[in-house]
Amino acid sequence: MVAAVAAGALVAASGVGVGLWAASGDDGSSADSTEASAARSPSPSPTRSYPLSKAPRTIPAVRDHTAERGPGWRPARTHRVVVADPALADEGRLTAGELGLTYAGEKDDERDGDLRLELNRDSGANPESYTMTVRDGRVTVTAPAEAGVFYGTRTLKQEIEGAGSAPEGVVRDEPAKPRRGLMLDIARKHYSAEWIEDRIRELGDLKYNEFGLHFSDDQGFRIESDSHPEIVSEQHLTKAQVRRIVDLAASRHITVVPEIDSPGHLGAVIAAHPDLQLRDAGGGTVRGAIDISEPESAEIVDDLLDEYAGLFPGGQWHLGADEYQALVVSDPEASFPGLAAAARKKYGAGATVEDLTTGWLNDRAETVRAHDRTPRAWNDGFFSGGSVRAAEDIQVAYWTGKEIGAREPAAYLGEGREVLNYNDEFLYYVLGEPQTFVYPTGERIYEQWTPLVLRGTSPVPERYDDQILGGSLAVWGDLPRSQTQDQVAAGIRMPLRATVQKLWDPGAPALSWTEFRALAGELG
């Protein structure tokens, strides 16, 4: 049969009609002489020819497709999903359920219509890369790790949702950036667990791999706590709900990245512990700022970091560190003499409030590092002066250039730091659009932003590309009643798709924005 298909394709390619392969006498009767029979070749069955396939239409777009001639693949109830490794059982069951196939587990035989999932652990390739081959009525997805296999099934799922079938040929695909995220502020605005789970499913289908939870701020502390139940807001997620969210995310190869912001943005904690609130030289309280000269301040924050390390098993942790109000005044040492004295006591004569604050960040990094977490902090928690420097392994979550003493992104990169792109010019969805914020649009992200554009609209030099690990769209709840949950979901729909397209492949997209938006509509 393979030879017949190849012959048919060759004939079609050479322009010879398939009908010329039929063998019969001039008068329509069969020749009966031995000589005539010997002179004729066997008559192959006519074979349908196919045009060269076109690349799959997906979001994000696949990075390479080798076209072939063939019918492609369309799911049917009788088709199986089989796995070559028991580690792929979850991916196999999920995809079988989504496409209406039968999950058959580990099988060595081949049947028409099979979708086969395989691991090639020794390839040395990017663990998120995959190869998907559609050929001879079957589909095979192969990758170095489970994540890559999962992304291959997402490509297949989108092909079926959009076109109804997967085109013949070979897809070779991988992301440009290893960190692709959405961050959600649930401290200022409470979101239901069900809504969050829907976003996790959406992120998974778009090949995102991070979901940030900013769950502590001045307005609320939104996850159940055993170590400090007194700080938890009335509206909150239970630990059982969070575990379901974390488990669902893990099944989509998404890491949930928790953030307990400190030493600023701790108003909800301070409300239950007013004695820890920072006071200035005149005795006035400072909103949201904890007094980092008090040992009890470090104790309560470390209690929380230790507690939630058991709830969030992923390898990443966001420490916040932004907008500490003691450092937004012209003379922190004069305004906060208690902090200045604590700095000198800990770091020696000449040490500043800035040094004490950097020391706080380093200490909190040490707390999460003990749980095998990689720490990150907002860029305005890093300072260029002073005698104390932020630990080198703390990644920079770059969001703004508006802080006092702001440094260009290249300053962090020039120090050799790894950076994540949260550019507030493009990637900040701030409810109610306070101050100068406006809702980001997918079109602007798609046409003007790349991971190199860390601040404003200008990219950093290409030589820093490898230090930029990826980026994240961020949803902030500054004016929480400005939008409902459903409005937020609708508002971030196209920005999410545009952002992941540029994180997966930062080059100029093949589709225009109009075509990309139409494709998003087709894929649902």
Side-chain angles (χ1 to χ4, degrees):
M1 177 60 73
V2 173
V5 171
L10 178 61
V11 170
S14 63
V16 180
V18 173
L20 296 181
W21 286 79
S24 62
D26 290 343
D27 60 357
S29 62
S30 60
D32 56 2
S33 68
T34 302
E35 184 179 22
S37 297
R40 280 200 307 271
S41 299
S43 303
S45 301
T47 303
R48 179 182 175 187
S49 65
Y50 295 92
L52 275 175
S53 60
K54 295 182 179 180
R57 287 165 51 81
T58 61
I59 296 175
V62 301
R63 303 188 71 178
D64 182 77
H65 176 254
T66 302
E68 295 183 5
R69 299 182 187 276
W73 181 87
R74 187 182 298 271
R77 288 179 179 270
T78 56
H79 293 170
R80 307 182 305 174
V81 177
V82 297
V83 298
D85 191 301
L88 297 174
D90 290 343
E91 288 77 13
R93 290 191 180 94
L94 175 65
T95 307
E98 292 170 331
L99 300 184
L101 310 176
T102 298
Y103 178 67
E106 294 178 75
K107 300 290 182 183
D108 293 326
D109 63 315
E110 293 185 352
R111 295 184 188 176
D112 289 343
D114 274 356
L115 166 58
R116 184 173 181 82
L117 308 181
E118 299 179 338
L119 288 174
N120 181 11
R121 298 183 189 273
D122 299 325
S123 70
N126 180 342
E128 294 190 306
S129 67
Y130 68 92
T131 299
M132 184 174 73
T133 303
V134 180
R135 187 179 292 148
D136 299 331
R138 290 187 287 271
V139 181
T140 302
V141 177
T142 304
E146 292 96 316
V149 171
F150 176 72
Y151 297 142
T153 67
R154 299 308 88 191
T155 292
L156 183 63
K157 180 185 178 184
Q158 285 196 26
E159 289 174 321
I160 301 308
E161 288 177 339
S165 64
E168 202 86 359
V170 182
V171 169
R172 296 176 180 85
D173 201 14
E174 65 178 330
K177 294 298 179 184
R179 295 286 165 196
R180 306 174 301 280
L182 168 67
M183 192 229 74
L184 181 67
D185 170 11
I186 65 171
R188 294 179 177 95
K189 181 179 178 67
H190 175 70
Y191 293 83
S192 71
E194 293 75 18
W195 188 92
I196 294 172
E197 289 170 1
D198 285 344
R199 300 290 72 71
I200 294 290
R201 296 184 184 95
E202 181 180 13
L203 295 177
D205 284 351
L206 292 170
K207 304 186 178 84
Y208 277 91
N209 65 1
E210 277 196 0
F211 180 65
L213 273 182
H214 176 95
F215 63 91
S216 172
D217 213 302
D218 296 340
Q219 295 82 355
F221 192 99
R222 302 290 182 181
I223 295 179
E224 175 187 358
S225 173
D226 298 318
S227 66
H228 290 281
E230 74 280 0
I231 69 175
V232 179
S233 302
E234 182 178 355
Q235 281 190 311
H236 64 271
L237 298 175
T238 67
K239 286 190 172 181
Q241 289 174 319
V242 173
R243 289 189 187 97
R244 286 196 295 271
I245 289 167
V246 169
D247 288 346
L248 177 64
S251 75
R252 267 67 175 175
H253 298 276
I254 294 170
T255 298
V256 180
V257 182
E259 181 190 355
I260 299 175
D261 202 347
S262 78
H265 296 282
L266 279 174
V269 173
I270 292 168
H273 296 273
D275 53 314
L276 298 181
Q277 188 164 22
L278 179 64
R279 295 178 180 272
D280 61 24
T285 58
V286 182
R287 185 173 185 266
I290 203 165
D291 187 345
I292 59 176
S293 68
E294 292 289 341
E296 292 83 0
S297 295
E299 290 172 9
I300 191 170
V301 173
D302 283 347
D303 284 348
L304 296 169
L305 295 175
D306 288 334
E307 175 182 2
Y308 291 109
L311 188 61
F312 296 99
Q316 306 292 312
W317 200 286
H318 202 316
L319 294 169
D322 62 312
E323 299 179 325
Y324 188 46
Q325 295 302 300
L327 294 173
V328 301
V329 297
S330 59
D331 189 346
E333 284 68 43
S335 296
F336 300 98
L339 296 183
R344 292 190 296 271
K345 180 179 180 180
K346 186 170 185 179
Y347 298 111
T352 64
V353 174
E354 186 178 279
D355 291 323
L356 189 69
T357 307
T358 301
W360 170 278
L361 173 62
N362 286 339
D363 290 345
R364 306 293 78 71
E366 183 63 29
T367 300
V368 300
R369 204 180 288 118
H371 296 284
D372 296 320
R373 305 301 195 269
T374 298
R376 70 181 65 164
W378 299 113
N379 64 283
D380 51 330
F382 296 79
F383 309 106
S384 58
S387 59
V388 182
R389 303 295 300 276
E392 292 181 1
D393 69 329
I394 304 176
Q395 296 171 349
V396 180
Y398 196 94
W399 72 282
T400 188
K402 301 182 179 73
E403 75 274 17
I404 293 175
R407 291 187 291 159
E408 294 289 338
Y412 303 89
L413 295 163
E415 295 174 355
R417 291 191 181 278
E418 294 180 321
V419 176
L420 296 125
N421 192 325
Y422 291 78
N423 186 337
D424 64 347
E425 177 77 17
F426 288 94
L427 304 178
Y428 260 38
Y429 193 96
V430 185
L431 297 192
E433 301 181 304
Q435 302 176 49
T436 60
F437 291 108
V438 295
Y439 292 129
T441 67
E443 181 176 9
R444 189 159 180 257
I445 295 167
Y446 190 76
E447 295 182 342
Q448 300 179 32
W449 180 82
T450 75
L452 290 172
V453 181
L454 285 163
R455 172 178 174 177
T457 58
S458 300
V460 298
E462 283 275 356
R463 66 179 179 273
Y464 294 125
D465 185 55
D466 288 346
Q467 289 173 241
I468 301 172
L469 302 181
S472 181
L473 189 73
V475 178
W476 294 101
D478 290 43
L479 299 173
R481 294 184 177 85
S482 300
Q483 289 192 337
T484 65
Q485 291 186 148
D486 289 344
Q487 287 172 324
V488 173
I492 65 175
R493 184 176 181 277
M494 290 310 300
L496 275 175
R497 284 151 179 78
T499 300
V500 80
Q501 173 60 47
K502 304 304 278 292
L503 290 168
W504 195 266
D505 184 353
L511 300 181
S512 69
W513 168 251
T514 300
E515 292 168 331
F516 184 82
R517 184 176 57 192
L519 176 60
E522 293 171 16
L523 299 179

